[in-house]
Each structure stands twice: as C-alpha cells, then as structure tokens.
Amino acid sequence: MAGVSVGTVDRVLHNRPNISKFAREKVEKVLESINYQPNMYASALAYNKSYTFYLVVPQHESEAYWEEIEEGALKAAEVRRDFYVNVEIIYYDRFNSETFVKQVNHCLELNPDGVIVVPSQLDVTRTFTDKLHERNIPFVMLDSYMPDLQPLSFYGQDSLASGYFAAKMLMMIANNEKEILIVKQTKDGKVVSKQQENREMGFKTYMNDHFPHIKITDVNLPLETGKHRYADILEEFFTQNPQVHHCITFNSKAHIVGNFLLQTNRRNVQIMGYDMVGKNAECLKQGSISFLIAQHAYMQGYACVDTLFQAIVLKKKVSPINYMPIELLTKENVEFYRRTQL
C-alpha cells in the first residue's frame, strides 16, 4: 500500500534508523489510514524470552497482610505463564535495616528483570534503587511511596487520606469521648513504616481540625520486650485509664488488642485497625474491633507484577501512581469482602 519494501515497513514499525523521511511518511500515512495497532502479545511471545521478577517484602507471620500480597503476585505470574513470567520472593527483617541491605544485594546478584520492593528506611532503600537505575532495572514500590526514588510505579493507599478517613469514621461512634488511644508496635520507640507514620499524621490532622479538645494518648508495644509482655502493658494501661473506650492502631495487628479485650472481658472498649486478615476479622465479628480499613493487599500484589509485565514485556506505558481503595469493614459487611477480587 505504501509502495515500499517489507524491510522499510519493519524499520518504521520499530522506529529504527536508516530510512528516508519520504519513505517514513508514506508508511505512516498508510498506518494511520488503516488504524494499525501492533499485536504486542504476539511480539512478546515471538521473543521466546523468560522474565524473573523479585518481590522484596518483610518477613511475616501467617495470615498477615504480606501473605495476601504474595498470593496476588504469584497469581499474576500464573496468569502470565505463557510469557514465561516468574516471581521469586525475598524476605528481610523490617526491624533490621542490615537484613534489607543483605537481601537486596543478593537480589542484584540474581540479575532481576524487574523488582517490586517494600522500602526500608529511605537512605538504605535509595542505595538499592540507585543501583537498579544504574542497571536500567525497572522497579515498583509497594506499601510506602517514596517519590524521590523515582520508581516505575507505586501501589498502596494514600496514607494521609487513609488516616484522615479513619479518624472521621471512628469519631462517628466516639464523638462523646474525652480521650482516644493510639496503640503502636515499635522498635527503639519508633514505628518502622512510613505508611503508618503518614496514617497517624492524617488521623491527628482530622482530630486537630474537628475534635481538638479530645486527648490523644500513645501506648507502645515494643518488639524488644517480646509479645508475651503485651498483655501486661495493656492491662496496666486500661486498669489505670478506665475512661478510655476507643483506640486505634495503624497496622494490621489490631487483633493483639482485640484478643486482649475479649480475654479480659472488657466489653466497653473497642479498637479500630487495618487489613482484613483472619485474626482481625474474628475480633471484628466478636465486637472487640469496631472497624477495619481494608486496602486489597491481594490486588496490590497482582497489580505490581502485572505492571512490570506491561512495561517490560509488552513495552507499554504504565500509571506512575496507583492509590488503592479505602474501604470500611464492620461485622455486618465483613463476610461480603472479596479478598481475592481484582
């Protein structure tokens, strides 16, 4: 149709050099007239190349939020198995940045085609992502967004908005209270997740704007003491502060407090938390957890792998920022939550 050779058309389609402006314009005019769309799937299959993506996540207990991330990521690899896409998981201790450095260096040794990373502290994460940029290895950030590191894409909640929303929902049932408790799992007195810090900031912003007279109190559950001490810490606080009836945590461990409240028969206290994992759901049904905010961990894991697939295998542009839904679960609707829905 363009009156040129097959080789010339091929060079235009793949944007290769050594073609005259006149010939290129003739081919492009025909492509436009027939609304040509390349078959990216056929092209990718024709390369007959395998791809290995590495998912770098914190070591976790069973039923935790991260387990759902993994399930979603592995499902995406299964869906793309015809393209020889494989996902491998690398774990690090979220409370020990040295293990992050060790594991990501191991990841680099494996020459990944793409990486999904849950970041550690900004400085050690930057060292890793700088090396990924040097090697032109695309990476997606999960859970905590660090835009300065220039990831290919990000998946997770808007943490500030999520914390603000959490406060707004909690105060629908706690608006007559004089004090709200924030429960934190800490290492050296600090939470180790930027996402949790931002949620707390959003929460306190709402409280300062709308309920400045309500006192906000912190109770830390230090990892250094061991989990066997948590019940003692909580018992001491609630015994000394019977006026506190509502609390919140910004991680997926609301069930630690929820189970304590059930075991000590404190039916006039509830905690709000994050993530629809099994232990949380059970406390929600029994009434010790008031609300859960879900963020579709399974969907996040799936989408991260699929984004690398779209960008690396199919050479498509992908969305740089992808905020997940902020969904409120109660005992009345928790059974209808579709954990693995995409």
Side-chain angles (χ1 to χ4, degrees):
M1 293 176 68
V4 299
S5 69
V6 171
T8 298
V9 173
D10 183 72
R11 285 193 289 275
V12 173
L13 292 177
H14 295 92
N15 199 28
R16 294 182 179 130
N18 302 322
I19 180 173
S20 70
K21 180 181 177 181
F22 177 72
R24 182 180 295 277
E25 288 176 348
K26 290 179 67 176
V27 175
E28 289 176 345
K29 184 176 181 180
V30 173
L31 293 175
E32 183 179 358
S33 69
I34 64 174
N35 192 26
Y36 172 79
Q37 300 292 328
N39 189 331
M40 304 300 294
Y41 287 87
S43 298
L45 286 169
Y47 283 116
N48 196 31
K49 182 183 183 310
S50 62
Y51 304 87
T52 302
F53 303 148
Y54 286 87
L55 172 60
V56 183
V57 295
Q59 186 69 49
H60 56 82
E61 300 174 358
S62 180
E63 291 193 282
Y65 162 76
W66 305 112
E67 191 171 72
E68 297 190 3
I69 294 281
E70 292 176 18
E71 291 177 10
L74 295 174
K75 179 62 178 180
E78 178 187 336
V79 170
R80 303 300 185 183
R81 64 183 180 273
D82 289 348
F83 295 86
Y84 310 106
V85 170
N86 183 47
V87 170
E88 299 290 344
I89 303 173
I90 294 178
Y91 298 103
Y92 68 92
D93 183 347
R94 190 159 201 174
F95 302 98
N96 184 345
S97 59
E98 291 180 2
T99 65
F100 178 84
V101 173
K102 178 181 177 181
Q103 293 297 73
V104 296
N105 285 337
H106 175 58
C107 177
L108 290 168
E109 292 172 356
L110 297 171
N111 297 315
D113 295 292
V115 175
I116 302 158
V117 58
V118 176
S120 179
Q121 298 173 2
L122 177 60
D123 54 345
V124 296
T125 306
R126 186 191 299 277
T127 300
F128 175 49
T129 57
D130 282 350
K131 292 177 181 177
L132 292 175
H133 282 302
E134 290 171 7
R135 301 187 187 189
N136 294 317
I137 299 173
F139 67 94
V140 174
M141 300 200 82
L142 177 63
D143 185 58
S144 296
Y145 187 32
M146 297 178 178
D148 291 349
L149 304 187
Q150 299 181 311
L152 171 71
S153 187
F154 163 75
Y155 281 89
Q157 277 189 347
D158 182 330
S159 302
L160 287 169
S162 175
Y164 195 92
F165 173 79
K168 189 173 184 178
M169 295 300 102
L170 180 59
M171 297 317 293
M172 292 178 67
I173 60 173
N175 55 78
N176 291 322
E177 299 297 318
K178 295 181 179 179
E179 185 175 355
I180 299 293
L181 172 66
I182 297 178
V183 181
K184 305 176 185 178
Q185 268 192 309
T186 58
K187 174 73 171 178
D188 299 324
K190 299 178 181 179
V191 297
V192 296
S193 166
K194 187 67 176 177
Q195 183 189 62
Q196 291 177 46
E197 290 180 8
N198 287 339
R199 287 172 179 170
E200 182 176 342
M201 188 182 304
F203 180 88
K204 288 183 175 179
T205 298
Y206 179 88
M207 295 301 293
N208 184 63
D209 290 346
H210 300 277
F211 294 90
H213 61 282
I214 293 183
K215 180 182 178 182
I216 306 294
T217 301
D218 292 351
V219 164
N220 291 345
L221 303 179
L223 287 161
E224 297 92 330
T225 66
K227 295 181 180 178
H228 63 282
R229 283 274 296 125
Y230 290 174
D232 294 336
I233 295 171
L234 293 170
E235 179 65 41
E236 180 180 359
F237 176 84
F238 285 112
T239 298
Q240 295 179 1
N241 297 274
Q243 77 281 4
V244 174
H245 302 110
H246 291 277
C247 43
I248 186 168
T249 185
F250 299 107
N251 62 18
S252 62
K253 303 295 185 179
H255 59 82
I256 293 175
V257 180
N259 283 325
F260 167 80
L261 296 173
L262 292 172
Q263 290 165 8
T264 58
N265 199 32
R266 284 182 166 87
R267 300 292 175 171
N268 63 338
V269 185
Q270 291 179 309
I271 185 168
M272 181 179 185
Y274 279 76
D275 301 324
M276 215 301 287
V277 294
K279 293 177 182 178
N280 283 347
E282 188 58 36
C283 288
L284 186 67
K285 293 173 188 175
Q286 295 193 47
S288 59
I289 291 179
S290 53
F291 300 117
L292 285 174
I293 293 181
Q295 54 180 330
H296 286 286
Y298 182 91
M299 183 190 299
Q300 289 183 56
Y302 186 100
C304 286
V305 172
D306 197 59
T307 292
L308 287 176
F309 169 77
Q310 297 289 335
I312 296 171
V313 182
L314 299 186
K315 316 297 183 187
K316 290 185 175 181
K317 290 183 179 180
V318 297
S319 176
I321 302 176
N322 304 273
Y323 288 127
M324 305 305 294
I326 301 174
E327 297 186 340
L328 192 71
L329 301 180
T330 69
K331 63 181 179 182
E332 288 79 17
N333 70 353
V334 66
E335 292 291 351
F336 307 110
Y337 179 74
R338 298 292 178 258
R339 188 177 64 84
T340 60
Q341 185 173 0
L342 297 173

